[in-house]
Amino acid sequence: MPDEPLVLGIETSCDETGVGIVRGNTLLADALASSVEQHARFGGVVPEVASRAHLEAIVPTMQRALDEAKVTLADIDAIAVTAGPGLAGALLVGVAAAKGYALAADKPIYGVNHLAAHVAVDTLEHGPLPEPAIAMLVSGGHSSLLLVDDLTAGVTPLGATIDDAAGEAFDKVARLLGLGFPGGPVIDRLAREGDRGSIAFPRGLTAPKDQLKHRFDFSFSGLKTAVARWVEARERAGEPVPVADVAASFQDAVCDVLTAKALDACRENGVETLIIGGGVAANSRLRVLAEERAAKLGIRVRVPRPGLCTDNGAMVAALGSHLVAAGVAPSRLDLPADSAMPLTSVTVAG
């Protein structure tokens, strides 16, 4: 519809420079520049390297998005930018760029929450969000369960990571197995060749004693340590390490915990829709296991296509579009970048 807002979104919270453009719930452009190869030799994201890469990529990525959408900056109704959470230096690049574009083109600016944007992006593929819904966000820095009543007004955190997030555990186990960085995709591929039932790795925070205090929280540090000890024991014994079996068993432990807690949250809150977002949502085992278990409970699972699960500008634009359509006031031009932006804040208030 021509009266739907045309919103541009900028994402620079970690190692992806993303610029997306949406009209309403329709994706017009999703330009991305990744610095992952620059971080691979360090075995993880280096904040200073990421910030420099964003500086170099932001202008050409912006131009690619405008060209792809066949619009100009003057056509845009509003600019949304990830204000947090994320790497402080990386966030500052995106926020500074958004302020410059907003000032130059005299457009309103919305500083938005990166995690809420991972929920909003699902609307670009599956339409309006059912309300209420449970959202599980799983990435390198976050494993969170949220109750979403109205995404533009705020979300209710139900549980979060208390140590290593799921994506972080994938990266650390991949490094342990000599598989490189990032760990998620390579473990997912290797796991298809392994036996996921061959090694009984622990399921963190699932024991009866954990249900009272940590029912919806996540912990993958113990699992990571268990994998390391198992591998070390094999190596001390002079036995070969069955890498595919380790990958499959580790991955299944992670996905078992994620799906069990997410569906438990759906049942507890009487919610019939589970939305899964974040980089780990691209994991094939997580998708299959969630669908299988949810079907038995009559719960619908919505997961964006893999390209929209990882960090991107489209998700920021999607959240910005929701905020504009709901009449939420834009942020002030002097909005800050907040590396620890809480989940309860969907946008930086004006």
Side-chain angles (χ1 to χ4, degrees):
M1 294 176 61
D3 57 344
E4 291 182 319
L6 183 66
V7 179
L8 182 147
I10 298 174
E11 156 62 25
T12 64
S13 67
C14 191
D15 60 341
E16 310 281 5
T17 307
V19 179
I21 299 174
V22 305
R23 186 182 293 281
N25 286 332
T26 303
L27 179 61
L28 303 181
D30 185 21
L32 194 70
S34 176
S35 61
V36 66
E37 291 185 2
Q38 298 178 48
H39 303 284
R41 63 194 177 103
F42 300 106
V45 176
V46 180
E48 292 82 0
V49 173
S51 299
R52 173 62 65 180
H54 289 310
L55 280 170
E56 296 172 350
I58 190 68
V59 172
T61 307
M62 170 69 75
Q63 193 57 55
R64 281 195 290 122
L66 292 170
D67 292 346
E68 184 181 338
K70 297 180 173 58
V71 298
T72 68
L73 195 59
D75 299 322
I76 299 296
D77 293 313
I79 295 174
V81 59
T82 297
L87 301 175
L91 289 168
L92 283 169
V93 175
V95 169
K99 289 178 179 179
Y101 285 115
L103 186 61
D106 193 24
K107 304 296 180 182
I109 186 172
Y110 289 82
V112 305
N113 191 299
H114 174 84
L115 299 178
H118 271 302
V119 180
V121 75
D122 185 74
T123 63
L124 300 180
E125 193 159 7
H126 299 123
L129 291 174
E131 295 174 346
I134 293 293
M136 179 171 66
L137 305 181
V138 278
S139 67
H142 303 276
S143 298
S144 305
L145 279 172
L146 316 172
L147 176 62
V148 184
D149 286 312
D150 179 353
L151 188 58
T152 63
V155 298
T156 304
L158 300 178
T161 306
I162 64 174
D163 45 52
D164 286 1
E168 184 180 1
F170 270 93
D171 288 339
K172 289 180 176 178
V173 169
R175 189 182 309 137
L176 171 73
L177 297 174
L179 301 177
F181 175 84
V186 67
I187 286 180
D188 195 5
R189 287 194 301 271
L190 262 179
R192 295 168 195 170
E193 305 168 10
D195 178 1
R196 60 177 177 265
S198 61
I199 308 168
F201 287 134
R203 270 65 171 162
L205 297 184
T206 59
K209 64 181 177 63
D210 298 315
Q211 292 302 296
L212 189 60
K213 188 176 181 181
H214 294 294
R215 182 175 179 182
F216 300 127
D217 291 325
F218 300 97
S219 169
F220 296 106
S221 178
L223 171 60
K224 171 203 66 182
T225 301
V227 174
R229 288 176 176 168
W230 193 92
V231 170
E232 289 165 2
R234 294 280 294 201
E235 291 174 339
R236 280 197 306 270
E239 299 174 359
V241 175
V243 176
D245 288 346
V246 174
S249 299
F250 160 76
Q251 177 175 269
D252 206 58
V254 173
C255 296
D256 182 14
V257 171
L258 290 173
T259 54
K261 286 180 176 272
L263 294 172
D264 185 27
C266 289
R267 289 194 302 268
E268 176 67 16
N269 291 276
V271 172
E272 298 178 349
T273 302
L274 171 64
I275 298 165
I276 305 177
V280 181
N283 181 274
S284 62
R285 178 59 181 162
L286 178 61
R287 288 170 172 252
V288 169
L289 192 57
E291 290 280 2
E292 289 177 351
R293 290 179 167 177
K296 295 175 182 177
L297 300 171
I299 294 172
R300 182 188 178 197
V301 177
R302 293 178 27 155
V303 191
R305 63 181 181 270
L308 292 180
C309 290
T310 51
D311 295 347
N312 58 80
M315 68 185 201
V316 180
L319 180 53
S321 179
H322 279 69
L323 295 168
V324 173
V328 175
S331 305
R332 292 165 51 95
L333 193 59
D334 62 353
L335 71 101
D338 183 358
S339 61
M341 188 175 185
L343 270 168
T344 48
S345 299
V346 170
T347 183
V348 179

